mmCIF file of all heavy atoms in Angstrom:
data_model
loop_
_atom_site.group_PDB
_atom_site.id
_atom_site.type_symbol
_atom_site.label_atom_id
_atom_site.label_comp_id
_atom_site.label_asym_id
_atom_site.label_seq_id
_atom_site.Cartn_x
_atom_site.Cartn_y
_atom_site.Cartn_z
ATOM 1 N N TRP V 106 51.319 25.842 -82.470
ATOM 2 C CA TRP V 106 52.044 25.278 -83.503
ATOM 3 C C TRP V 106 51.131 24.347 -84.286
ATOM 4 O O TRP V 106 50.169 23.777 -83.775
ATOM 5 C CB TRP V 106 53.335 24.464 -83.162
ATOM 6 C CG TRP V 106 53.138 23.493 -82.046
ATOM 7 C CD1 TRP V 106 53.427 23.624 -80.695
ATOM 8 C CD2 TRP V 106 52.705 22.155 -82.175
ATOM 9 N NE1 TRP V 106 53.109 22.584 -80.032
ATOM 10 C CE2 TRP V 106 52.680 21.569 -80.795
ATOM 11 C CE3 TRP V 106 52.233 21.363 -83.204
ATOM 12 C CZ2 TRP V 106 52.247 20.243 -80.649
ATOM 13 C CZ3 TRP V 106 51.835 20.091 -82.947
ATOM 14 C CH2 TRP V 106 51.834 19.577 -81.711
ATOM 15 N N VAL V 107 51.507 23.991 -85.534
ATOM 16 C CA VAL V 107 50.764 22.955 -86.312
ATOM 17 C C VAL V 107 51.837 22.040 -86.969
ATOM 18 O O VAL V 107 52.987 22.484 -87.256
ATOM 19 C CB VAL V 107 49.769 23.607 -87.424
ATOM 20 C CG1 VAL V 107 48.690 24.484 -86.861
ATOM 21 C CG2 VAL V 107 50.640 24.546 -88.303
ATOM 22 N N ALA V 108 51.458 20.813 -87.190
ATOM 23 C CA ALA V 108 52.415 19.798 -87.670
ATOM 24 C C ALA V 108 51.683 18.794 -88.392
ATOM 25 O O ALA V 108 50.448 18.541 -88.239
ATOM 26 C CB ALA V 108 53.240 19.191 -86.522
ATOM 27 N N VAL V 109 52.428 18.175 -89.331
ATOM 28 C CA VAL V 109 51.923 16.921 -89.987
ATOM 29 C C VAL V 109 52.664 15.740 -89.580
ATOM 30 O O VAL V 109 53.983 15.769 -89.534
ATOM 31 C CB VAL V 109 52.013 17.110 -91.523
ATOM 32 C CG1 VAL V 109 51.644 15.882 -92.300
ATOM 33 C CG2 VAL V 109 50.995 18.246 -91.975
ATOM 34 N N ALA V 110 52.064 14.540 -89.207
ATOM 35 C CA ALA V 110 52.754 13.409 -88.929
ATOM 36 C C ALA V 110 52.249 12.202 -89.798
ATOM 37 O O ALA V 110 51.165 12.300 -90.351
ATOM 38 C CB ALA V 110 52.418 13.045 -87.448
ATOM 39 N N GLY V 114 53.321 8.223 -86.589
ATOM 40 C CA GLY V 114 53.516 9.233 -85.546
ATOM 41 C C GLY V 114 54.671 10.077 -85.777
ATOM 42 O O GLY V 114 55.075 11.005 -84.867
ATOM 43 N N ALA V 115 55.442 9.831 -86.847
ATOM 44 C CA ALA V 115 56.761 10.583 -87.097
ATOM 45 C C ALA V 115 56.339 11.909 -87.612
ATOM 46 O O ALA V 115 55.575 12.051 -88.682
ATOM 47 C CB ALA V 115 57.615 9.757 -87.854
ATOM 48 N N GLU V 116 56.837 12.974 -87.076
ATOM 49 C CA GLU V 116 56.527 14.374 -87.620
ATOM 50 C C GLU V 116 57.294 14.584 -88.880
ATOM 51 O O GLU V 116 58.363 14.281 -89.076
ATOM 52 C CB GLU V 116 57.025 15.377 -86.543
ATOM 53 C CG GLU V 116 56.650 16.875 -86.910
ATOM 54 C CD GLU V 116 57.268 17.778 -85.938
ATOM 55 O OE1 GLU V 116 56.495 17.966 -84.998
ATOM 56 O OE2 GLU V 116 58.328 18.250 -86.081
ATOM 57 N N GLN V 117 56.660 15.195 -89.801
ATOM 58 C CA GLN V 117 57.130 15.459 -91.168
ATOM 59 C C GLN V 117 57.390 16.833 -91.390
ATOM 60 O O GLN V 117 58.330 17.233 -91.999
ATOM 61 C CB GLN V 117 56.105 14.905 -92.223
ATOM 62 C CG GLN V 117 56.075 13.350 -92.278
ATOM 63 C CD GLN V 117 55.011 12.951 -93.220
ATOM 64 O OE1 GLN V 117 54.142 13.535 -93.606
ATOM 65 N NE2 GLN V 117 55.297 11.613 -93.692
ATOM 66 N N ARG V 118 56.494 17.754 -90.806
ATOM 67 C CA ARG V 118 56.671 19.179 -91.010
ATOM 68 C C ARG V 118 55.927 19.899 -89.885
ATOM 69 O O ARG V 118 54.803 19.463 -89.307
ATOM 70 C CB ARG V 118 56.083 19.647 -92.287
ATOM 71 C CG ARG V 118 56.471 21.075 -92.651
ATOM 72 C CD ARG V 118 57.901 21.215 -93.092
ATOM 73 N NE ARG V 118 58.104 22.608 -93.553
ATOM 74 C CZ ARG V 118 58.669 23.480 -92.841
ATOM 75 N NH1 ARG V 118 58.944 23.299 -91.519
ATOM 76 N NH2 ARG V 118 58.883 24.741 -93.434
ATOM 77 N N ARG V 119 56.545 20.883 -89.329
ATOM 78 C CA ARG V 119 55.990 21.687 -88.290
ATOM 79 C C ARG V 119 56.226 23.190 -88.315
ATOM 80 O O ARG V 119 57.248 23.485 -88.758
ATOM 81 C CB ARG V 119 56.506 21.182 -86.900
ATOM 82 C CG ARG V 119 55.982 21.969 -85.608
ATOM 83 C CD ARG V 119 56.163 21.192 -84.341
ATOM 84 N NE ARG V 119 57.527 20.518 -84.233
ATOM 85 C CZ ARG V 119 58.470 21.124 -83.305
ATOM 86 N NH1 ARG V 119 58.120 22.024 -82.621
ATOM 87 N NH2 ARG V 119 59.591 20.511 -83.189
ATOM 88 N N PHE V 120 55.193 23.830 -88.053
ATOM 89 C CA PHE V 120 55.351 25.430 -87.943
ATOM 90 C C PHE V 120 55.015 25.878 -86.518
ATOM 91 O O PHE V 120 54.027 25.434 -86.012
ATOM 92 C CB PHE V 120 54.443 26.041 -88.936
ATOM 93 C CG PHE V 120 54.834 26.071 -90.343
ATOM 94 C CD1 PHE V 120 54.565 24.934 -91.104
ATOM 95 C CD2 PHE V 120 55.634 27.127 -90.919
ATOM 96 C CE1 PHE V 120 54.988 24.868 -92.456
ATOM 97 C CE2 PHE V 120 56.059 27.007 -92.190
ATOM 98 C CZ PHE V 120 55.737 25.952 -92.967
ATOM 99 N N ASP V 121 55.985 26.627 -85.926
ATOM 100 C CA ASP V 121 55.764 26.975 -84.572
ATOM 101 C C ASP V 121 55.613 28.598 -84.551
ATOM 102 O O ASP V 121 56.224 29.282 -85.299
ATOM 103 C CB ASP V 121 57.013 26.702 -83.699
ATOM 104 C CG ASP V 121 56.772 26.760 -82.222
ATOM 105 O OD1 ASP V 121 56.353 27.835 -81.813
ATOM 106 O OD2 ASP V 121 56.893 25.789 -81.557
ATOM 107 N N ARG V 122 54.803 29.131 -83.740
ATOM 108 C CA ARG V 122 54.382 30.481 -83.798
ATOM 109 C C ARG V 122 55.570 31.257 -83.161
ATOM 110 O O ARG V 122 55.850 32.380 -83.638
ATOM 111 C CB ARG V 122 53.079 30.788 -82.891
ATOM 112 C CG ARG V 122 52.763 32.197 -82.797
ATOM 113 C CD ARG V 122 51.507 32.396 -81.984
ATOM 114 N NE ARG V 122 50.272 31.720 -82.666
ATOM 115 C CZ ARG V 122 49.854 32.043 -83.836
ATOM 116 N NH1 ARG V 122 50.059 33.151 -84.292
ATOM 117 N NH2 ARG V 122 48.695 31.280 -84.269
ATOM 118 N N THR V 123 56.352 30.655 -82.271
ATOM 119 C CA THR V 123 57.358 31.421 -81.705
ATOM 120 C C THR V 123 58.745 31.338 -82.177
ATOM 121 O O THR V 123 59.627 32.084 -81.933
ATOM 122 C CB THR V 123 57.387 31.093 -80.067
ATOM 123 O OG1 THR V 123 57.608 29.615 -80.079
ATOM 124 C CG2 THR V 123 56.175 31.504 -79.413
ATOM 125 N N ARG V 124 58.970 30.279 -82.990
ATOM 126 C CA ARG V 124 60.380 29.964 -83.382
ATOM 127 C C ARG V 124 60.443 29.175 -84.728
ATOM 128 O O ARG V 124 59.445 28.386 -84.936
ATOM 129 C CB ARG V 124 61.249 29.309 -82.275
ATOM 130 C CG ARG V 124 60.850 28.034 -81.916
ATOM 131 C CD ARG V 124 61.701 27.598 -80.675
ATOM 132 N NE ARG V 124 61.190 26.179 -80.404
ATOM 133 C CZ ARG V 124 61.803 25.131 -80.961
ATOM 134 N NH1 ARG V 124 62.791 25.171 -81.895
ATOM 135 N NH2 ARG V 124 61.534 23.872 -80.583
ATOM 136 N N MET V 125 61.588 29.236 -85.348
ATOM 137 C CA MET V 125 61.765 28.361 -86.449
ATOM 138 C C MET V 125 62.046 26.872 -86.010
ATOM 139 O O MET V 125 62.916 26.698 -85.191
ATOM 140 C CB MET V 125 62.904 28.918 -87.378
ATOM 141 C CG MET V 125 63.160 28.239 -88.690
ATOM 142 S SD MET V 125 61.966 28.573 -89.758
ATOM 143 C CE MET V 125 62.265 30.236 -90.318
ATOM 144 N N VAL V 126 61.457 25.881 -86.730
ATOM 145 C CA VAL V 126 61.756 24.508 -86.342
ATOM 146 C C VAL V 126 62.812 23.958 -87.297
ATOM 147 O O VAL V 126 62.768 24.061 -88.546
ATOM 148 C CB VAL V 126 60.449 23.653 -86.560
ATOM 149 C CG1 VAL V 126 60.755 22.113 -86.242
ATOM 150 C CG2 VAL V 126 59.331 24.245 -85.702
ATOM 151 N N ARG V 127 63.873 23.444 -86.590
ATOM 152 C CA ARG V 127 65.003 22.923 -87.471
ATOM 153 C C ARG V 127 64.647 21.361 -87.887
ATOM 154 O O ARG V 127 63.976 20.649 -87.158
ATOM 155 C CB ARG V 127 66.270 22.980 -86.700
ATOM 156 C CG ARG V 127 66.625 24.352 -86.409
ATOM 157 C CD ARG V 127 67.764 24.486 -85.430
ATOM 158 N NE ARG V 127 68.087 25.845 -84.984
ATOM 159 C CZ ARG V 127 68.780 26.188 -84.029
ATOM 160 N NH1 ARG V 127 69.360 25.311 -83.201
ATOM 161 N NH2 ARG V 127 69.083 27.439 -83.765
ATOM 162 N N PRO V 128 65.331 20.908 -88.849
ATOM 163 C CA PRO V 128 65.146 19.532 -89.278
ATOM 164 C C PRO V 128 65.296 18.487 -88.333
ATOM 165 O O PRO V 128 64.580 17.547 -88.266
ATOM 166 C CB PRO V 128 66.085 19.414 -90.501
ATOM 167 C CG PRO V 128 66.411 20.806 -90.878
ATOM 168 C CD PRO V 128 66.297 21.664 -89.767
ATOM 169 N N GLY V 129 66.336 18.598 -87.461
ATOM 170 C CA GLY V 129 66.557 17.559 -86.499
ATOM 171 C C GLY V 129 65.629 17.616 -85.264
ATOM 172 O O GLY V 129 65.772 16.910 -84.360
ATOM 173 N N GLU V 130 64.682 18.496 -85.263
ATOM 174 C CA GLU V 130 63.812 18.640 -84.119
ATOM 175 C C GLU V 130 62.446 17.915 -84.300
ATOM 176 O O GLU V 130 61.580 18.157 -83.568
ATOM 177 C CB GLU V 130 63.508 20.076 -83.749
ATOM 178 C CG GLU V 130 64.726 20.828 -83.241
ATOM 179 C CD GLU V 130 64.596 22.310 -83.076
ATOM 180 O OE1 GLU V 130 63.568 22.846 -83.640
ATOM 181 O OE2 GLU V 130 65.287 22.899 -82.294
ATOM 182 N N ALA V 131 62.335 16.967 -85.211
ATOM 183 C CA ALA V 131 61.061 16.321 -85.564
ATOM 184 C C ALA V 131 60.689 15.499 -84.212
ATOM 185 O O ALA V 131 61.470 14.950 -83.555
ATOM 186 C CB ALA V 131 61.337 15.379 -86.643
ATOM 187 N N ARG V 132 59.370 15.598 -84.076
ATOM 188 C CA ARG V 132 58.669 14.942 -82.834
ATOM 189 C C ARG V 132 58.165 13.623 -83.119
ATOM 190 O O ARG V 132 57.856 13.483 -84.487
ATOM 191 C CB ARG V 132 57.687 15.833 -82.243
ATOM 192 C CG ARG V 132 58.147 17.148 -81.567
ATOM 193 C CD ARG V 132 57.049 17.968 -81.225
ATOM 194 N NE ARG V 132 57.481 19.227 -80.434
ATOM 195 C CZ ARG V 132 56.732 20.131 -80.220
ATOM 196 N NH1 ARG V 132 55.451 20.301 -80.709
ATOM 197 N NH2 ARG V 132 57.280 21.271 -79.447
ATOM 198 N N ASP V 133 57.967 12.781 -82.164
ATOM 199 C CA ASP V 133 57.216 11.547 -82.319
ATOM 200 C C ASP V 133 55.949 11.596 -81.650
ATOM 201 O O ASP V 133 55.809 11.924 -80.584
ATOM 202 C CB ASP V 133 58.027 10.444 -81.677
ATOM 203 C CG ASP V 133 57.349 9.043 -81.773
ATOM 204 O OD1 ASP V 133 56.365 9.076 -82.656
ATOM 205 O OD2 ASP V 133 57.894 8.161 -81.133
ATOM 206 N N TYR V 134 54.880 11.471 -82.480
ATOM 207 C CA TYR V 134 53.445 11.660 -81.869
ATOM 208 C C TYR V 134 52.827 10.229 -81.634
ATOM 209 O O TYR V 134 51.620 10.114 -81.404
ATOM 210 C CB TYR V 134 52.612 12.435 -82.824
ATOM 211 C CG TYR V 134 53.085 13.811 -83.086
ATOM 212 C CD1 TYR V 134 53.604 14.100 -84.243
ATOM 213 C CD2 TYR V 134 52.866 14.764 -82.076
ATOM 214 C CE1 TYR V 134 54.031 15.487 -84.521
ATOM 215 C CE2 TYR V 134 53.330 16.159 -82.347
ATOM 216 C CZ TYR V 134 53.919 16.419 -83.557
ATOM 217 O OH TYR V 134 54.428 17.681 -83.703
#
Side-chain angles (χ1 to χ4, degrees):
Chain V
W106 53 260
V107 292
V109 171
E116 185 180 274
Q117 295 175 334
R118 188 75 172 97
R119 174 159 52 105
F120 284 85
D121 195 302
R122 183 176 297 286
T123 55
R124 65 187 184 85
M125 185 70 77
V126 179
R127 294 172 188 165
E130 294 178 336
R132 290 172 176 168
D133 178 12
Y134 299 107

